[in-house]
Amino acid sequence: MSGPFVRMLVNIAVMSASVFSRAFVAAYHQALQNAKQGGGTAAKAASRTYGGMAPDEALKVLNLQKTDMKNPARLIEQFDKYFMQNEPGKGGSFYLQSKVYRAKECLEKAIEEERGKAAKAKAEADDARKANKSKVGGKSP
C-alpha cells in the first residue's frame, strides 16, 4: 500500500513544482516586459510617498480635500478628531489610529516639501530679477 501511495505523492509534488515553475517564469517575463515599457514609473510613484503613504491616500484617510492642505489648522482638526475616535482604550482600533497618524505625517511632509519648492522658486526669481537689474545698469523698470 505504501508503494502506490508514495508514487502518487511524488507525482503530485512533481506536477505542482512544474506548474509553479511555469507560473514563476511567466510572472518574471511579465515583470521584465512591464519594466521595459514603464521605465521609472514605479520609482517615481514611490518617491511621492511619505512613510509608505501617498498624499492622495492620506487626504482620504483624514477626509480632506487638496485645498485643505493650505490650511494646517484643518489638518490638525481632522487628525485630532479621527485619532481620538480610534483610541484603543476606548474601544477603537490601533490599526486605524496608526493610519490616521501616518496620514497626518505624510501630509505634513508633503506640505513642507511644497513650501521648500515655493521658497526655492521665489529665490530663483529674485536672483533673476537682480541679474536683470544689474544688466540694465541698476535701473528698475
Side-chain angles (χ1 to χ4, degrees):
M1 179 169 149
S2 66
F5 182 70
V6 171
R7 255 188 260 138
M8 184 176 72
L9 285 177
V10 169
N11 283 339
I12 290 172
V14 168
M15 287 187 335
S16 298
S18 173
V19 169
F20 176 75
S21 64
R22 284 187 205 145
F24 180 79
V25 169
Y28 179 76
H29 285 293
Q30 184 64 44
L32 283 177
Q33 200 66 3
N34 290 345
K36 287 178 186 176
Q37 290 174 353
T41 308
K44 287 179 186 175
S47 69
R48 286 185 232 130
T49 63
Y50 306 91
M53 187 178 289
D56 287 344
E57 180 185 359
L59 289 169
K60 289 177 185 175
V61 168
L62 292 175
N63 195 25
L64 294 170
Q65 303 296 319
K66 280 194 178 228
T67 55
D68 292 326
M69 287 182 65
K70 296 178 182 176
N71 185 356
R74 177 87 172 117
L75 170 65
I76 298 301
E77 175 187 326
Q78 289 296 97
F79 166 75
D80 288 341
K81 174 183 171 184
Y82 291 120
F83 194 81
M84 294 311 252
Q85 283 179 350
N86 289 295
E87 182 70 40
K90 298 177 184 174
S93 164
F94 178 74
Y95 172 77
L96 292 177
Q97 196 178 43
S98 298
K99 286 291 255 187
V100 169
Y101 183 82
R102 293 293 172 217
K104 174 184 156 271
E105 186 178 60
C106 170
L107 292 177
E108 286 176 339
K109 288 180 182 178
I111 290 169
E112 184 179 310
E113 184 178 294
E114 286 300 315
R115 285 183 181 158
K117 286 179 185 178
K120 183 179 177 182
K122 184 181 183 305
E124 288 173 356
D126 289 344
D127 290 344
R129 267 189 247 122
K130 287 178 186 176
N132 284 338
K133 281 184 180 181
S134 66
K135 285 181 183 177
V136 177
K139 297 180 184 176
S140 59

